[in-house]
Coordinates of all heavy atoms in Angstrom, one line a residue:
M1 N 4.0 -5.8 15.5 CA 3.3 -6.9 14.9 C 4.3 -8.1 14.5 O 5.3 -7.7 14.0 CB 2.6 -6.4 13.5 CG 1.4 -5.7 13.7 SD 0.5 -5.3 12.2 CE 0.8 -3.6 12.1
R2 N 3.8 -9.2 14.6 CA 4.6 -10.4 14.2 C 4.4 -10.5 12.6 O 3.5 -10.1 12.1 CB 4.1 -11.7 14.9 CG 4.3 -11.6 16.4 CD 3.8 -13.0 17.0 NE 3.0 -13.7 16.1 CZ 1.7 -13.9 16.3 NH1 1.0 -13.3 17.3 NH2 1.0 -14.7 15.5
V3 N 5.5 -11.2 12.1 CA 5.5 -11.4 10.6 C 4.2 -12.1 10.2 O 3.7 -11.9 9.1 CB 6.7 -12.2 10.2 CG1 6.6 -12.6 8.7 CG2 8.0 -11.3 10.4
D4 N 3.7 -13.1 11.0 CA 2.5 -13.8 10.6 C 1.2 -13.3 11.1 O 0.2 -13.8 11.0 CB 2.6 -15.3 11.1 CG 2.7 -15.4 12.6 OD1 2.9 -14.3 13.3 OD2 2.5 -16.5 13.2
D5 N 1.3 -12.0 11.5 CA 0.1 -11.3 12.0 C -0.8 -11.1 10.7 O -0.3 -10.5 9.8 CB 0.5 -9.9 12.6 CG -0.7 -9.2 13.3 OD1 -1.7 -9.3 12.7 OD2 -0.4 -8.6 14.3
P6 N -2.0 -11.5 10.7 CA -2.9 -11.2 9.6 C -3.1 -9.8 9.2 O -3.4 -9.5 8.1 CB -4.3 -11.8 10.0 CG -4.3 -12.1 11.4 CD -2.7 -12.1 11.8
R7 N -2.8 -8.8 10.1 CA -3.0 -7.4 9.9 C -1.9 -7.0 8.8 O -2.0 -6.0 8.2 CB -2.8 -6.5 11.1 CG -4.1 -6.8 12.0 CD -3.8 -5.9 13.3 NE -2.7 -6.4 13.9 CZ -2.2 -5.9 15.1 NH1 -2.8 -4.8 15.6 NH2 -1.2 -6.3 15.7
D8 N -0.8 -7.8 8.7 CA 0.3 -7.5 7.8 C 0.0 -7.9 6.4 O 0.9 -7.8 5.5 CB 1.6 -8.2 8.2 CG 2.2 -7.6 9.5 OD1 2.0 -6.4 9.8 OD2 2.9 -8.3 10.3
R9 N -1.1 -8.5 6.2 CA -1.4 -9.1 4.8 C -2.2 -8.0 4.0 O -3.1 -7.4 4.4 CB -2.2 -10.4 5.0 CG -1.4 -11.4 5.7 CD -1.9 -12.8 5.4 NE -1.0 -13.8 6.0 CZ 0.1 -14.3 5.4 NH1 0.2 -13.9 4.1 NH2 0.8 -15.1 6.0
C10 N -1.9 -8.1 2.7 CA -2.6 -7.2 1.7 C -4.0 -7.7 1.6 O -4.2 -9.0 1.4 CB -1.8 -7.3 0.3 SG -2.7 -6.6 -1.0
P11 N -5.0 -6.9 1.6 CA -6.4 -7.4 1.5 C -6.8 -7.7 0.1 O -7.9 -8.4 -0.2 CB -7.2 -6.1 1.9 CG -6.3 -4.9 1.6 CD -4.9 -5.4 1.9
H12 N -5.9 -7.5 -0.9 CA -6.1 -7.9 -2.3 C -5.6 -9.3 -2.5 O -6.3 -10.2 -3.0 CB -5.5 -6.9 -3.3 CG -6.1 -5.6 -3.2 ND1 -7.2 -5.2 -3.9 CD2 -5.7 -4.4 -2.5 CE1 -7.5 -3.9 -3.7 NE2 -6.5 -3.4 -2.8
C13 N -4.3 -9.5 -2.2 CA -3.6 -10.7 -2.6 C -3.2 -11.6 -1.5 O -2.7 -12.7 -1.7 CB -2.4 -10.4 -3.5 SG -1.0 -9.7 -2.7
G14 N -3.2 -11.1 -0.3 CA -2.9 -11.8 1.0 C -1.3 -11.9 1.1 O -0.8 -12.5 2.1
A15 N -0.5 -11.2 0.3 CA 0.9 -11.1 0.6 C 1.3 -10.4 1.8 O 0.6 -9.5 2.2 CB 1.6 -10.4 -0.6
V16 N 2.2 -10.9 2.5 CA 2.7 -10.2 3.7 C 3.4 -9.0 3.3 O 4.3 -8.9 2.5 CB 3.7 -11.1 4.5 CG1 4.2 -10.4 5.7 CG2 2.9 -12.4 5.0
T17 N 3.0 -7.9 4.0 CA 3.6 -6.5 3.8 C 4.0 -6.0 5.1 O 3.5 -6.3 6.2 CB 2.7 -5.6 2.9 OG1 1.4 -5.5 3.7 CG2 2.3 -6.1 1.6
W18 N 4.8 -5.0 5.0 CA 5.4 -4.2 6.2 C 5.3 -2.8 5.9 O 5.3 -2.3 4.8 CB 6.7 -4.7 6.5 CG 6.8 -6.1 7.0 CD1 6.5 -6.7 8.1 CD2 7.1 -7.2 6.1 NE1 6.7 -8.1 8.1 CE2 7.2 -8.4 6.9 CE3 7.6 -7.3 4.7 CZ2 7.5 -9.6 6.3 CZ3 7.8 -8.6 4.2 CH2 7.8 -9.7 5.1
E19 N 5.3 -2.0 7.0 CA 5.4 -0.5 6.8 C 6.5 -0.1 5.8 O 6.3 0.9 5.1 CB 5.5 0.2 8.2 CG 4.4 -0.1 9.1 CD 4.6 0.5 10.5 OE1 5.7 1.2 10.6 OE2 3.9 0.2 11.4
R20 N 7.5 -0.7 5.9 CA 8.7 -0.3 5.2 C 8.6 -0.5 3.6 O 9.3 -0.1 2.8 CB 10.0 -0.9 5.6 CG 10.1 -2.5 5.5 CD 11.4 -2.9 6.0 NE 11.5 -4.4 5.9 CZ 11.1 -5.2 6.8 NH1 10.6 -4.7 8.0 NH2 11.2 -6.5 6.6
D21 N 7.5 -1.3 3.3 CA 7.2 -1.6 1.8 C 6.4 -0.5 1.2 O 5.5 -0.8 0.5 CB 6.4 -2.9 1.7 CG 7.2 -4.1 2.1 OD1 8.5 -4.0 2.1 OD2 6.7 -5.1 2.4
L22 N 6.8 0.7 1.4 CA 6.1 1.9 0.9 C 6.6 2.2 -0.5 O 7.7 2.0 -0.9 CB 6.2 3.1 1.8 CG 5.8 2.9 3.3 CD1 6.2 4.1 4.0 CD2 4.3 2.7 3.2
A23 N 5.7 2.8 -1.3 CA 6.1 3.2 -2.6 C 6.9 4.5 -2.5 O 6.8 5.1 -1.5 CB 4.8 3.5 -3.5
P24 N 7.8 4.8 -3.5 CA 8.6 5.9 -3.5 C 7.8 7.2 -3.3 O 6.7 7.4 -3.9 CB 9.3 6.0 -4.8 CG 9.3 4.6 -5.3 CD 8.0 4.0 -4.7
G25 N 8.2 8.1 -2.5 CA 7.5 9.3 -2.2 C 6.5 9.3 -1.1 O 5.9 10.3 -0.7
F26 N 6.2 8.1 -0.5 CA 5.3 7.9 0.5 C 6.0 7.4 1.7 O 6.2 6.3 1.9 CB 4.1 6.9 0.2 CG 3.3 7.6 -0.8 CD1 3.5 7.4 -2.2 CD2 2.1 8.3 -0.4 CE1 2.6 8.1 -3.2 CE2 1.2 8.8 -1.3 CZ 1.5 8.8 -2.7
E27 N 6.5 8.4 2.5 CA 7.3 8.0 3.7 C 6.6 8.4 4.9 O 6.1 9.6 5.0 CB 8.7 8.7 3.6 CG 9.5 8.2 2.4 CD 10.8 8.9 2.4 OE1 11.3 9.5 3.4 OE2 11.4 8.9 1.4
Y28 N 6.5 7.6 5.8 CA 5.8 7.9 7.1 C 6.9 8.1 8.2 O 7.6 7.3 8.5 CB 5.0 6.7 7.6 CG 3.8 6.4 6.6 CD1 3.8 5.1 6.0 CD2 2.8 7.3 6.3 CE1 2.8 4.7 5.2 CE2 1.8 7.0 5.4 CZ 1.8 5.7 4.9 OH 0.8 5.4 3.9
R29 N 7.0 9.3 8.6 CA 8.0 9.7 9.6 C 7.8 9.0 10.9 O 8.7 8.6 11.7 CB 8.0 11.2 9.8 CG 8.4 11.9 8.5 CD 8.4 13.4 8.8 NE 8.4 14.1 7.5 CZ 9.4 14.4 6.8 NH1 10.6 14.0 7.1 NH2 9.3 15.1 5.6
D30 N 6.6 8.9 11.4 CA 6.2 8.2 12.7 C 5.4 6.9 12.5 O 4.7 6.5 13.3 CB 5.5 9.2 13.6 CG 6.3 10.5 13.9 OD1 7.5 10.3 14.2 OD2 5.6 11.6 13.8
G31 N 5.6 6.3 11.3 CA 4.8 5.1 11.1 C 3.4 5.5 10.5 O 3.0 6.7 10.6
P32 N 2.7 4.6 9.8 CA 1.4 5.0 9.2 C 0.4 5.2 10.3 O 0.5 4.8 11.4 CB 1.1 3.8 8.4 CG 1.8 2.7 9.1 CD 3.0 3.2 9.6
K33 N -0.6 6.0 10.0 CA -1.8 6.2 10.9 C -3.1 5.8 10.1 O -3.1 5.7 9.0 CB -1.7 7.6 11.4 CG -1.8 8.7 10.4 CD -1.6 10.0 11.0 CE -1.8 11.2 10.0 NZ -0.9 11.2 8.9
E34 N -4.0 5.8 11.0 CA -5.4 5.4 10.4 C -5.7 6.4 9.2 O -5.5 7.7 9.3 CB -6.5 5.6 11.4 CG -7.9 5.3 11.0 CD -8.9 5.4 12.1 OE1 -8.6 5.9 13.2 OE2 -10.1 5.1 11.8
G35 N -6.2 5.9 8.1 CA -6.6 6.6 7.0 C -5.4 6.9 5.9 O -5.7 7.3 4.9
D36 N -4.1 6.4 6.3 CA -3.1 6.5 5.3 C -3.2 5.5 4.3 O -3.7 4.3 4.6 CB -1.7 6.4 6.0 CG -1.3 7.6 6.8 OD1 -1.8 8.7 6.5 OD2 -0.4 7.5 7.6
A37 N -2.8 5.7 3.1 CA -2.8 4.7 2.0 C -1.5 4.0 1.8 O -0.4 4.6 2.1 CB -3.3 5.4 0.8
T38 N -1.5 2.8 1.3 CA -0.4 2.1 0.9 C -0.6 1.3 -0.3 O -1.8 0.9 -0.7 CB 0.2 1.3 2.0 OG1 1.5 0.8 1.7 CG2 -0.6 0.1 2.4
L39 N 0.5 1.0 -1.1 CA 0.4 0.1 -2.3 C 1.1 -1.2 -1.9 O 2.2 -1.2 -1.5 CB 1.0 0.8 -3.5 CG 0.2 2.0 -4.0 CD1 1.1 2.6 -5.1 CD2 -1.0 1.6 -4.6
C40 N 0.5 -2.3 -2.3 CA 1.2 -3.6 -2.2 C 2.3 -3.7 -3.1 O 2.1 -3.6 -4.4 CB 0.2 -4.8 -2.3 SG 0.9 -6.4 -2.2
A41 N 3.5 -4.1 -2.7 CA 4.6 -4.3 -3.6 C 4.4 -5.6 -4.4 O 5.2 -5.7 -5.4 CB 5.9 -4.3 -2.8
H42 N 3.5 -6.4 -4.1 CA 3.3 -7.7 -4.7 C 2.3 -7.6 -5.8 O 2.6 -8.0 -7.0 CB 3.0 -8.8 -3.8 CG 4.1 -9.0 -2.7 ND1 5.2 -9.8 -3.0 CD2 4.3 -8.5 -1.5 CE1 6.0 -9.7 -2.0 NE2 5.4 -9.0 -1.0
C43 N 1.2 -7.0 -5.5 CA 0.1 -7.0 -6.5 C -0.3 -5.6 -7.0 O -1.0 -5.4 -7.9 CB -1.2 -7.7 -6.0 SG -2.1 -6.7 -4.7
G44 N 0.2 -4.6 -6.3 CA 0.0 -3.3 -6.7 C -1.3 -2.7 -6.1 O -1.8 -1.6 -6.4
G45 N -2.0 -3.5 -5.3 CA -3.3 -3.1 -4.7 C -3.2 -2.0 -3.7 O -2.3 -1.9 -2.9
L46 N -4.2 -1.1 -3.9 CA -4.2 0.0 -2.9 C -5.0 -0.3 -1.7 O -6.1 -1.0 -1.8 CB -4.9 1.2 -3.6 CG -5.2 2.5 -2.8 CD1 -3.9 3.1 -2.4 CD2 -6.2 3.3 -3.6
S47 N -4.5 -0.1 -0.6 CA -5.2 -0.3 0.7 C -5.0 0.9 1.7 O -4.2 1.6 1.5 CB -4.9 -1.7 1.3 OG -3.4 -1.7 1.7
M48 N -5.9 0.8 2.7 CA -5.9 2.0 3.7 C -5.7 1.3 5.0 O -6.2 0.3 5.4 CB -7.3 2.6 3.7 CG -7.8 3.1 2.4 SD -6.7 4.4 1.6 CE -7.2 5.7 2.7
Y49 N -4.9 2.1 5.8 CA -4.7 1.6 7.2 C -5.9 1.9 8.2 O -6.5 3.0 8.1 CB -3.5 2.2 7.8 CG -2.2 1.7 7.4 CD1 -1.4 2.3 6.3 CD2 -1.6 0.5 7.9 CE1 -0.2 1.7 5.9 CE2 -0.5 0.0 7.4 CZ 0.3 0.7 6.4 OH 1.4 0.1 6.0
C50 N -6.2 1.0 9.0 CA -7.3 1.1 10.0 C -6.6 1.6 11.3 O -5.4 1.6 11.4 CB -7.9 -0.2 10.2 SG -8.8 -0.9 8.7
D51 N -7.5 1.8 12.3 CA -6.9 2.3 13.6 C -6.0 1.3 14.2 O -5.1 1.6 15.0 CB -8.0 2.8 14.5 CG -9.1 1.7 14.9 OD1 -9.0 0.6 14.2 OD2 -9.9 2.0 15.7
D52 N -6.3 -0.1 13.9 CA -5.5 -1.1 14.6 C -4.3 -1.6 13.6 O -3.6 -2.6 13.9 CB -6.3 -2.4 14.9 CG -6.8 -3.0 13.7 OD1 -6.7 -2.5 12.5 OD2 -7.5 -4.1 13.8
M53 N -4.0 -0.7 12.6 CA -3.0 -0.9 11.7 C -3.2 -2.1 10.7 O -2.3 -2.5 10.0 CB -1.6 -1.0 12.3 CG -1.1 0.2 12.9 SD -0.9 1.7 11.8 CE -2.5 2.5 12.0
S54 N -4.3 -2.7 10.7 CA -4.7 -3.6 9.7 C -4.9 -2.8 8.4 O -5.0 -1.6 8.5 CB -6.0 -4.5 10.1 OG -7.1 -3.6 10.2
R55 N -5.2 -3.5 7.3 CA -5.4 -2.8 6.0 C -6.8 -3.3 5.6 O -7.2 -4.4 5.7 CB -4.3 -3.1 5.1 CG -2.9 -2.6 5.5 CD -1.8 -3.1 4.6 NE -0.6 -2.6 5.0 CZ 0.3 -3.2 5.9 NH1 -0.2 -4.3 6.5 NH2 1.4 -2.6 6.2
R56 N -7.4 -2.3 4.9 CA -8.7 -2.6 4.3 C -8.7 -2.0 2.9 O -7.9 -1.2 2.4 CB -9.8 -1.9 5.1 CG -9.7 -0.4 5.2 CD -11.0 0.2 5.8 NE -10.7 1.6 5.9 CZ -10.8 2.6 5.0 NH1 -11.1 2.1 3.7 NH2 -10.7 3.9 5.2
L57 N -9.7 -2.5 2.2 CA -10.0 -2.0 0.8 C -10.4 -0.5 0.8 O -11.2 -0.2 1.8 CB -10.9 -2.8 0.0 CG -10.6 -4.3 -0.2 CD1 -11.8 -5.0 -0.9 CD2 -9.3 -4.3 -1.0
P58 N -10.0 0.3 -0.1 CA -10.5 1.7 0.0 C -11.8 1.8 -0.5 O -12.4 1.0 -1.4 CB -9.4 2.4 -0.9 CG -9.0 1.3 -1.9 CD -9.0 0.1 -1.1
T59 N -12.5 2.9 -0.2 CA -13.8 3.1 -0.7 C -13.6 3.8 -2.1 O -12.5 4.3 -2.4 CB -14.6 4.2 0.2 OG1 -13.9 5.4 0.1 CG2 -14.8 3.6 1.5
L60 N -14.7 3.9 -2.9 CA -14.5 4.6 -4.2 C -14.1 6.0 -4.0 O -13.4 6.6 -4.8 CB -15.8 4.4 -5.0 CG -16.0 3.0 -5.6 CD1 -17.5 3.0 -6.2 CD2 -15.0 2.6 -6.5
G61 N -14.7 6.7 -3.0 CA -14.4 8.1 -2.8 C -12.9 8.2 -2.4 O -12.3 9.3 -2.8
E62 N -12.4 7.4 -1.7 CA -10.9 7.4 -1.2 C -10.1 7.2 -2.5 O -9.0 7.9 -2.6 CB -10.6 6.4 -0.2 CG -11.2 6.7 1.1 CD -11.1 5.6 2.1 OE1 -11.1 4.4 1.8 OE2 -11.1 5.9 3.4
I63 N -10.4 6.3 -3.3 CA -9.7 6.0 -4.6 C -9.6 7.3 -5.4 O -8.6 7.7 -5.9 CB -10.2 4.8 -5.4 CG1 -10.0 3.6 -4.6 CG2 -9.5 4.7 -6.8 CD1 -10.7 2.3 -5.2
D64 N -10.8 7.9 -5.6 CA -11.0 9.1 -6.4 C -10.0 10.2 -5.8 O -9.3 10.9 -6.5 CB -12.4 9.6 -6.4 CG -12.6 10.8 -7.3 OD1 -12.2 10.8 -8.4 OD2 -13.1 11.8 -6.9
E65 N -10.1 10.4 -4.5 CA -9.4 11.5 -3.8 C -7.9 11.2 -4.0 O -7.1 12.1 -4.3 CB -9.7 11.5 -2.4 CG -8.9 12.6 -1.6 CD -9.4 12.7 -0.1 OE1 -10.4 12.2 0.2 OE2 -8.5 13.2 0.6
L66 N -7.4 10.0 -3.8 CA -6.0 9.6 -3.8 C -5.4 9.9 -5.2 O -4.4 10.4 -5.4 CB -5.7 8.2 -3.4 CG -5.7 7.9 -2.0 CD1 -5.9 6.5 -1.6 CD2 -4.4 8.6 -1.3
F67 N -6.1 9.5 -6.2 CA -5.6 9.5 -7.6 C -5.7 10.9 -8.2 O -5.3 11.1 -9.4 CB -6.1 8.4 -8.5 CG -5.4 7.1 -8.1 CD1 -5.8 6.2 -7.1 CD2 -4.1 6.8 -8.7 CE1 -5.1 5.1 -6.8 CE2 -3.4 5.7 -8.3 CZ -3.9 4.8 -7.4
R68 N -6.2 11.9 -7.5 CA -6.1 13.3 -7.9 C -4.7 13.7 -7.6 O -4.2 14.8 -8.2 CB -7.1 14.1 -7.2 CG -8.5 13.8 -7.6 CD -9.5 14.6 -6.8 NE -10.9 14.1 -7.1 CZ -11.9 14.9 -7.1 NH1 -11.8 16.2 -6.9 NH2 -13.1 14.3 -7.2
D69 N -3.9 13.0 -6.8 CA -2.6 13.4 -6.3 C -1.6 12.8 -7.3 O -1.6 11.6 -7.5 CB -2.4 12.9 -5.0 CG -1.0 13.3 -4.4 OD1 0.0 13.3 -5.1 OD2 -0.9 13.5 -3.2
Q70 N -0.7 13.6 -7.9 CA 0.2 13.2 -8.9 C 1.2 12.1 -8.3 O 1.5 11.2 -9.0 CB 1.1 14.4 -9.4 CG 2.1 13.9 -10.4 CD 1.6 13.4 -11.7 OE1 0.4 13.8 -12.1 NE2 2.3 12.6 -12.4
R71 N 1.6 12.3 -7.0 CA 2.4 11.3 -6.4 C 1.8 9.9 -6.3 O 2.4 8.9 -6.5 CB 2.8 11.8 -5.0 CG 3.7 13.0 -5.0 CD 4.0 13.4 -3.5 NE 2.8 13.4 -2.7 CZ 2.8 13.1 -1.4 NH1 3.9 12.7 -0.8 NH2 1.7 13.0 -0.7
A72 N 0.5 9.9 -6.1 CA -0.2 8.6 -6.0 C -0.2 7.9 -7.4 O 0.0 6.7 -7.4 CB -1.6 8.8 -5.4
R73 N -0.5 8.7 -8.4 CA -0.5 8.1 -9.7 C 1.0 7.6 -10.2 O 1.1 6.6 -10.7 CB -0.9 9.1 -10.8 CG -2.4 9.4 -10.6 CD -3.0 10.3 -11.7 NE -2.2 11.5 -11.9 CZ -2.5 12.7 -11.4 NH1 -3.6 12.7 -10.6 NH2 -1.9 13.7 -11.7
E74 N 1.9 8.4 -9.8 CA 3.3 7.9 -10.0 C 3.7 6.7 -9.3 O 4.4 5.8 -9.8 CB 4.3 9.0 -9.7 CG 4.2 10.2 -10.7 CD 5.0 11.4 -10.2 OE1 5.7 11.4 -9.2 OE2 5.0 12.4 -11.0
A75 N 3.3 6.6 -7.9 CA 3.6 5.4 -7.2 C 2.9 4.2 -7.8 O 3.5 3.1 -7.9 CB 3.2 5.6 -5.7
A76 N 1.7 4.4 -8.2 CA 0.9 3.2 -8.8 C 1.6 2.8 -10.1 O 1.7 1.6 -10.3 CB -0.6 3.6 -9.0
A77 N 2.1 3.7 -10.9 CA 2.8 3.4 -12.1 C 4.0 2.6 -11.9 O 4.4 1.7 -12.5 CB 3.0 4.6 -12.9
F78 N 4.7 3.1 -10.8 CA 6.0 2.4 -10.4 C 5.8 0.9 -9.9 O 6.4 0.0 -10.4 CB 6.6 3.2 -9.2 CG 7.8 2.5 -8.6 CD1 9.0 2.6 -9.2 CD2 7.8 1.8 -7.4 CE1 10.2 2.1 -8.8 CE2 9.0 1.3 -6.9 CZ 10.2 1.4 -7.5
V79 N 4.6 0.7 -9.1 CA 4.3 -0.7 -8.7 C 3.9 -1.5 -9.9 O 4.3 -2.6 -10.1 CB 3.3 -0.7 -7.6 CG1 2.8 -2.0 -7.4 CG2 3.8 0.0 -6.3
R80 N 3.2 -1.0 -10.9 CA 2.8 -1.7 -12.1 C 3.9 -2.1 -12.8 O 4.1 -3.2 -13.4 CB 1.8 -0.8 -12.9 CG 0.4 -0.9 -12.6 CD -0.5 -0.3 -13.6 NE -0.1 1.1 -14.0 CZ -0.6 2.1 -13.4 NH1 -1.3 2.1 -12.4 NH2 -0.3 3.3 -13.8
A81 N 4.9 -1.2 -13.0 CA 6.2 -1.5 -13.7 C 7.0 -2.6 -13.0 O 7.5 -3.5 -13.8 CB 7.1 -0.3 -13.8
I82 N 7.0 -2.7 -11.8 CA 7.7 -3.8 -11.1 C 6.9 -5.1 -11.3 O 7.5 -6.1 -11.6 CB 7.7 -3.5 -9.5 CG1 8.6 -2.4 -9.2 CG2 8.1 -4.7 -8.8 CD1 8.7 -1.9 -7.8
R83 N 5.6 -5.0 -11.2 CA 4.8 -6.3 -11.6 C 5.0 -6.8 -13.0 O 5.2 -8.0 -13.3 CB 3.3 -6.0 -11.3 CG 3.0 -5.9 -9.8 CD 1.5 -5.6 -9.7 NE 0.6 -6.2 -10.6 CZ -0.5 -5.7 -10.9 NH1 -1.0 -4.5 -10.6 NH2 -1.3 -6.4 -11.7
E84 N 5.1 -5.9 -14.0 CA 5.3 -6.3 -15.4 C 6.7 -6.9 -15.5 O 6.9 -7.8 -16.2 CB 5.1 -5.1 -16.3 CG 3.6 -4.6 -16.4 CD 3.5 -3.3 -17.1 OE1 4.5 -2.8 -17.7 OE2 2.3 -2.8 -17.1
L85 N 7.7 -6.2 -14.8 CA 9.1 -6.8 -14.9 C 9.1 -8.1 -14.3 O 9.8 -9.1 -14.9 CB 10.0 -5.9 -14.2 CG 11.4 -6.3 -14.1 CD1 12.1 -6.4 -15.5 CD2 12.3 -5.3 -13.2
R86 N 8.5 -8.4 -13.1 CA 8.5 -9.8 -12.5 C 7.8 -10.7 -13.4 O 8.4 -11.9 -13.5 CB 7.7 -9.6 -11.1 CG 8.5 -9.0 -10.0 CD 7.6 -9.1 -8.7 NE 8.3 -8.5 -7.7 CZ 7.7 -8.1 -6.6 NH1 6.4 -8.2 -6.4 NH2 8.4 -7.5 -5.6
A87 N 6.8 -10.3 -14.0 CA 6.0 -11.3 -15.0 C 6.9 -11.6 -16.2 O 6.9 -12.8 -16.6 CB 4.7 -10.6 -15.4
S88 N 7.7 -10.6 -16.6 CA 8.5 -10.9 -17.8 C 9.7 -11.8 -17.5 O 10.2 -12.5 -18.4 CB 9.0 -9.6 -18.4 OG 10.0 -9.0 -17.6
L89 N 10.1 -11.9 -16.2 CA 11.2 -12.7 -15.8 C 10.8 -14.1 -15.4 O 11.6 -14.9 -15.2 CB 12.0 -12.1 -14.6 CG 12.5 -10.7 -14.8 CD1 13.1 -10.1 -13.6 CD2 13.6 -10.8 -15.9
S90 N 9.5 -14.3 -15.3 CA 9.1 -15.7 -14.9 C 8.7 -16.6 -16.1 O 8.7 -16.2 -17.2 CB 7.9 -15.7 -13.9 OG 7.0 -14.6 -14.1

């Protein structure tokens, strides 16, 4: 994908994101695949990878399933802390 490829954009805030912008504990050995989740490092929004590697908003069922996982809750807290730090510096 090129940097300006719209599939690289967060569906929440539109920030350009890349596979390497993963939250701690979420490493893709062979790259993400359809159905994998990611958090935007800019807004903290949760999105899901589609088969063409674009990102979409998760369903309520997917959100519920993901946040039963302790690692997902910790990753979301990490991204929130980064956002709060950025806000305090501006």
